[in-house]
Amino acid sequence: MNFVSINSGWIEVIAGSMFSGKSEELIRRLRRAEIARMRVQVFKPLIDKRYDDNHIVSHSELKMKSDPIEKAEEILEKLDPRTEVVGIDEAQFFDTSLVAICNRLADMGKRVIVAGLDKDYTGQPFEPMPQLLAIAEYITKPLAICVICGNPANFTQRTIESEDRVLVGASGFYEARCRKHFDPKPAVPSKK
Ligand code: ADP
């Protein structure tokens, strides 16, 4: 996909299950923007401490410096007016105020690239991702690989017992599953 600057801002959303490559794709786009000598700022919610507080990190260990924030409003507070590209990872951990903030940034002429889980572990849409998908100019939906059968996987299977919607972790707590092998209710580890 080519993004053509028309002297105006826009919103790109990268949405999908865990392990689908959202963070990799976000980092790839942000790196290319830096190579093009654009001013980039990256934010992530403080809740996501899985590998590193000051970086966004992919499961394949790509990383990029980022500002950890508690609330979406801090994006506007910390925004350098010279910034041209704003990256946001793990957007599902922010509340719906992120939607208006992304709109505002795009209206200011910024390129906004947001990555996040589109569904929670029960398969339900994970706010504010549905709203962001609705207002985005560009949407990318990567798929992971189902750990049971190897088909494309659109779901995140929780493999330990917990009913908390937010349980931050990586491969130990979650697996990528296809529609056939996703079980939204119990915690079902695969027999590998
Ligand atoms: P996301 O941000 O969507 O959770 P990441 O960008 O952090 O995804 O990680 C994607 C990487 O995860 C892949 O390139 C691959 O190295 C690794 N990976 C581990 N398990 C899987 C899986 N089941 N399907 C696809 N990639 C996987």
Side-chain angles (χ1 to χ4, degrees):
M1 201 187 310
N2 289 319
F3 301 102
V4 180
S5 172
I6 44 168
N7 248 346
S8 116
W10 67 86
I11 300 170
E12 297 162 35
V13 171
I14 305 162
S17 67
M18 274 184 76
F19 305 104
S20 63
K22 301 181 299 297
S23 299
E24 277 178 357
E25 179 60 18
L26 175 65
I27 293 169
R28 188 186 76 88
R29 291 185 197 180
L30 295 172
R31 288 244 165 93
R32 287 170 62 93
E34 285 183 339
I35 291 167
R37 298 185 205 289
M38 303 191 86
R39 287 178 185 272
V40 174
Q41 266 185 283
V42 191
F43 298 95
K44 71 167 197 177
L46 199 54
I47 192 169
D48 179 30
K49 293 180 182 164
R50 58 180 174 175
Y51 301 114
D52 193 321
D53 272 354
N54 299 307
H55 292 83
I56 52 172
V57 186
S58 76
H59 292 109
S60 50
E61 290 174 24
L62 289 177
K63 49 157 78 178
M64 186 160 185
K65 215 166 181 335
S66 73
D67 232 332
I69 52 173
E70 274 177 64
K71 290 191 178 143
E73 289 74 23
E74 290 172 56
I75 296 173
L76 294 175
E77 289 161 23
K78 296 191 172 192
L79 188 73
D80 181 328
R82 297 168 301 173
T83 292
E84 297 160 285
V85 181
V86 178
I88 303 164
D89 202 9
E90 303 289 357
Q92 76 282 353
F93 293 143
F94 291 112
D95 66 21
T96 48
S97 65
L98 182 64
V99 182
I101 289 163
C102 289
N103 250 336
R104 172 118 177 255
L105 291 168
D107 289 345
M108 288 161 75
K110 317 285 183 205
R111 174 182 176 191
V112 184
I113 316 174
V114 192
L117 275 178
D118 56 353
K119 298 181 291 311
D120 65 15
Y121 78 102
T122 68
Q124 293 305 304
F126 209 149
E127 297 77 22
M129 294 308 290
Q131 292 87 342
L132 287 168
L133 286 161
I135 62 164
E137 272 86 355
Y138 302 100
I139 293 170
T140 303
K141 180 145 176 177
L143 296 170
I145 304 295
C146 176
V147 297
I148 309 279
C149 69
N151 278 322
N154 184 29
F155 296 89
T156 306
Q157 179 73 54
R158 186 173 282 182
T159 56
I160 65 157
E161 275 189 59
S162 165
E163 289 186 359
D164 295 339
R165 193 178 201 198
V166 175
L167 183 65
V168 180
S171 29
F173 299 166
Y174 297 101
E175 287 177 353
R177 299 278 184 97
C178 68
R179 179 176 292 278
K180 189 174 157 199
H181 291 114
F182 172 62
D183 187 340
K185 281 172 242 92
V188 193
S190 63
K191 296 183 193 78
K192 280 186 230 170

